[in-house]
Amino acid sequence: MYNILIEFGIPMKLVRLIYMCLTETCSRVRIRKDLSEIFPVRKSWKRGDALLPLLFNFSLEYAIRSVQVNQNGLKLNGTHRFLVFADDVNTLGGRVYTVKEHGEPLLVASKEIGLVENADKTKYMVMSRDQNAKRRMIIDNRFYEKAEQLKYLGKI
């Protein structure tokens, strides 16, 4: 994670500060006027942590850029192959095979840096005249259900 931040040009001072916040944090508890001894806080990623969205975005951007290098760009017929908003990634393609072909490298790149998709929430959608596509798609021994509608919250 720290190497990714450095690669994106984050100043080393901030990278060290993030490292300290995530690995070297200690706390004390005050109850009325009594103060406890100092105790270490174990490294954990908690929901609501202000750093999490930023670290996630840097990690996902890194994974997408590594796929971009491997696939000579992220464009398909003049449109983007990946639409990303918050933690939602949509992979575009004219056929199930194309979606699978574009999505698989992103899954591999994400996994390499510690990001894992939630296969239970992941769906695929076919936008074609041939709507007789399979009900399920398999990538890396994981099953993905076909969706009939797509709700995208970002801007294109």
Side-chain angles (χ1 to χ4, degrees), residues 51-116:
L51 280 176
L52 269 183
L54 291 171
L55 297 176
F56 174 80
N57 285 340
F58 278 118
S59 300
L60 185 58
E61 179 69 21
Y62 180 83
I64 288 173
R65 285 184 183 188
S66 70
V67 170
Q68 180 179 7
V69 168
N70 294 338
Q71 292 191 357
N72 298 322
L74 286 172
K75 299 263 184 183
L76 174 68
N77 295 334
T79 37
H80 295 282
R81 285 187 198 160
F82 299 110
L83 301 176
V84 181
F85 182 76
D87 62 347
D88 292 330
V89 179
N90 296 306
T91 308
L92 304 178
R95 299 178 301 149
V96 173
Y97 172 79
T98 310
V99 170
K100 189 174 178 177
E101 183 181 46
H102 297 162
E104 201 162 17
L106 182 59
L107 290 173
V108 169
S110 299
K111 199 179 289 185
E112 286 175 1
I113 59 171
L115 296 177
V116 181

Side-chain angles (χ1 to χ4, degrees), residues 13-155:
K13 184 176 183 177
L14 287 177
V15 173
R16 282 193 300 268
L17 195 61
I18 291 168
Y19 176 81
M20 287 171 41
C21 287
L22 296 175
T23 61
E24 300 174 8
T25 307
C26 295
S27 290
R28 285 181 152 180
V29 176
R30 180 188 304 261
I31 301 175
R32 295 191 183 126
K33 293 184 179 183
D34 297 326
L35 196 58
S36 74
E37 295 294 319
I38 294 175
F39 59 91
V41 176
R42 295 191 179 133
K43 177 183 172 187
S44 64
W45 302 88
K46 293 191 176 15
R47 270 191 169 184
D49 187 326
L51 280 176
L52 269 183
L54 291 171
L55 297 176
F56 174 80
N57 285 340
F58 278 118
S59 300
L60 185 58
E61 179 69 21
Y62 180 83
I64 288 173
R65 285 184 183 188
S66 70
V67 170
Q68 180 179 7
V69 168
N70 294 338
Q71 292 191 357
N72 298 322
L74 286 172
K75 299 263 184 183
L76 174 68
N77 295 334
T79 37
H80 295 282
R81 285 187 198 160
F82 299 110
L83 301 176
V84 181
F85 182 76
D87 62 347
D88 292 330
V89 179
N90 296 306
T91 308
L92 304 178
R95 299 178 301 149
V96 173
Y97 172 79
T98 310
V99 170
K100 189 174 178 177
E101 183 181 46
H102 297 162
E104 201 162 17
L106 182 59
L107 290 173
V108 169
S110 299
K111 199 179 289 185
E112 286 175 1
I113 59 171
L115 296 177
V116 181
E117 102 286 357
N118 185 341
D120 294 333
K121 290 184 177 181
T122 304
K123 309 270 188 246
Y124 79 95
M125 181 177 173
V126 176
M127 295 187 69
S128 169
R129 292 175 197 240
D130 178 18
Q131 290 295 315
N132 296 324
K134 300 176 192 173
R135 299 298 302 163
R136 294 194 303 180
M137 177 172 57
I138 303 170
I139 298 177
D140 195 26
N141 293 325
R142 291 179 183 228
F143 292 93
Y144 299 97
E145 297 295 322
K146 182 178 176 184
E148 299 301 325
Q149 293 182 343
L150 172 68
K151 186 176 185 179
Y152 182 67
L153 302 174
K155 286 185 176 181

